[in-house]
Amino acid sequence: MNAKSTLFVVLFCLLMSSTSLLADTWTSANGQFKIEAQFLQLKDGRVQLKRDDNQKTIWVDLDKLSKADQAKAQRLAKGADEQPMTQGDKPSPKKSEPADLLKSIKLTAKAQFEEFAEFDENGKELPKNLKVIVTAKGKPAATAFLYGKLKLDDLVDGDGNKIKLKSNKFSFNDITKELVKIDRGDDFFSSHPKDGVAVELVIPGDSVPKKIATAKGSFKISTGGERELIKFENLESFKGGKLENKSLKAAGIQADAEIKSEQGGTNLSVNLKGKLTQISMFIVGDPKQNELDEQNGFSSSGDDNFYNHSFYFDAKELPKNTTLFIEVVNNPVQLDIPFDFENIKMPKAAQNSGRN
């Protein structure tokens, strides 16, 4: 077995997984290995696939796939070529019942004090708030793009007294009523792990109990669905204006971009309008979906119906082959995830002070 064949075998061994909601099954030429992945493109005799387990992309030589999958890749590539500014498959995933999806979700809960201190009007430091963080992991949670509508049934201390929460704010956003976007970034303020969804119950610092006997409730996530990756290539040559795409239009989404030179650098501004809760991914990167180094930073603002993304580069023009990726989700599955924890482990500071 040569080095290329060995690498291919290793890749398939790592990517073996259970039946996917979001992807097709791809089989090796010898029939021994299978993966669940989405087709992205066929180029120079190689197939680019998007892994269903962690949403990363890989390249596989076309002749390393089964004859049927080689034909499938060529068919999908031909379909993509008919829409020059768009690329991505339109899978028809097998519908799965919410009860089946819930079986693959693992829940954990932990209590920890908030990282930041608060001060009163006299500059005196206030007792730190306590966060009870409920985390859901598993494929449905890892691929979720909205969460919220949290319902709390019971939160009681060791004496059976109800524990009051701080202004009913369960996280940075109030998720008691609406579904909001999941932020899986790498910075300090990101509120979710990359492989799951987390909700927070915030207890005021002046009423932190020594014990949390029960924490019971539920929260919703939007996951699954039919996902289409839309690609706008070579933005460095784009003169500005509407980003035309049939799939975005069908989803009720409008997009436009503007490129300006300012103060020795270049600013790329992308505006999105419409049903933005259907967007699960937005990346400005190279053709392989590697995010670009914006150097001077990135900013975003807006709400569920309008969003502006601005990127700043220390160069007279955008990097070559700058590509915009937008993933749209149609017919997502909404899961109601129940949680019920007893005797949550408390941090030592809460055990040494506070009420029962």
Side-chain angles (χ1 to χ4, degrees), residues 79-97:
D81 290 341
E82 293 174 354
Q83 301 182 35
M85 292 295 283
T86 304
Q87 192 159 0
D89 57 336
K90 295 183 179 181
S92 299
K94 182 179 179 181
K95 191 72 174 178
S96 182
E97 295 298 325

Side-chain angles (χ1 to χ4, degrees), residues 208-233:
V208 173
K210 288 184 178 180
K211 181 178 182 180
I212 298 178
T214 302
K216 181 179 181 181
S218 63
F219 62 94
K220 296 182 183 294
I221 63 172
S222 288
T223 185
E226 302 158 21
R227 306 198 179 196
E228 180 176 3
L229 186 65
I230 298 165
K231 182 169 71 172
F232 296 96
E233 298 180 283

Side-chain angles (χ1 to χ4, degrees), residues 166-198:
K166 184 177 181 181
S167 302
N168 291 323
K169 297 289 184 180
F170 297 98
S171 69
F172 183 77
N173 298 289
D174 183 355
I175 62 171
T176 60
K177 298 177 182 179
E178 301 296 334
L179 289 168
V180 295
K181 282 285 185 182
I182 292 175
D183 174 15
R184 287 201 174 95
D186 295 316
D187 61 35
F188 180 82
F189 295 99
S190 299
S191 54
H192 301 276
K194 290 187 177 295
D195 57 349
V197 177

Side-chain angles (χ1 to χ4, degrees), residues 58-293:
I58 60 169
W59 289 88
V60 180
D61 291 341
L62 182 64
D63 60 6
K64 298 299 183 182
L65 295 172
S66 67
K67 295 294 184 182
D69 284 347
Q70 291 181 37
K72 178 170 64 177
Q74 291 170 338
R75 183 174 68 253
L76 290 171
K78 183 179 179 181
D81 290 341
E82 293 174 354
Q83 301 182 35
M85 292 295 283
T86 304
Q87 192 159 0
D89 57 336
K90 295 183 179 181
S92 299
K94 182 179 179 181
K95 191 72 174 178
S96 182
E97 295 298 325
D100 295 330
L101 296 177
L102 285 173
K103 291 178 182 178
S104 64
I105 289 180
K106 303 296 183 183
L107 288 169
T108 59
K110 67 177 181 178
Q112 66 181 50
F113 286 102
E114 287 191 332
E115 294 84 356
F116 295 113
E118 295 183 5
F119 300 86
D120 63 16
E121 62 275 9
N122 298 317
K124 182 181 178 181
E125 184 175 347
L126 299 173
K128 287 188 177 181
N129 301 323
L130 184 74
K131 297 189 297 185
V132 178
I133 304 172
V134 178
T135 302
K137 291 191 176 183
K139 186 175 291 184
T143 57
F145 58 98
L146 296 174
Y147 82 115
K149 294 187 177 179
L150 188 149
K151 179 176 179 289
L152 189 62
D153 298 322
D154 279 309
L155 186 65
V156 299
D157 63 19
D159 290 333
N161 300 313
K162 285 192 175 182
I163 302 171
K164 293 183 179 180
L165 296 176
K166 184 177 181 181
S167 302
N168 291 323
K169 297 289 184 180
F170 297 98
S171 69
F172 183 77
N173 298 289
D174 183 355
I175 62 171
T176 60
K177 298 177 182 179
E178 301 296 334
L179 289 168
V180 295
K181 282 285 185 182
I182 292 175
D183 174 15
R184 287 201 174 95
D186 295 316
D187 61 35
F188 180 82
F189 295 99
S190 299
S191 54
H192 301 276
K194 290 187 177 295
D195 57 349
V197 177
V199 297
E200 298 176 356
L201 316 177
V202 182
I203 301 171
D206 59 3
S207 58
V208 173
K210 288 184 178 180
K211 181 178 182 180
I212 298 178
T214 302
K216 181 179 181 181
S218 63
F219 62 94
K220 296 182 183 294
I221 63 172
S222 288
T223 185
E226 302 158 21
R227 306 198 179 196
E228 180 176 3
L229 186 65
I230 298 165
K231 182 169 71 172
F232 296 96
E233 298 180 283
N234 303 319
L235 287 183
E236 71 276 5
S237 61
F238 185 67
K239 301 302 180 184
K242 289 185 178 180
L243 296 170
E244 299 287 351
N245 180 268
K246 293 181 179 179
S247 296
L248 283 181
K249 186 176 181 179
I253 299 170
Q254 300 175 27
D256 62 73
E258 184 178 27
I259 301 173
K260 286 185 177 180
S261 296
E262 50 184 46
Q263 297 180 350
T266 304
N267 176 65
L268 167 64
S269 180
V270 180
N271 295 314
L272 301 172
K273 300 178 182 178
K275 298 179 181 178
L276 305 187
T277 54
Q278 288 186 247
I279 296 177
S280 60
M281 183 182 73
F282 180 97
I283 294 176
V284 169
D286 63 20
K288 294 184 179 180
Q289 294 186 40
N290 298 312
E291 293 189 49
L292 296 179
D293 179 7

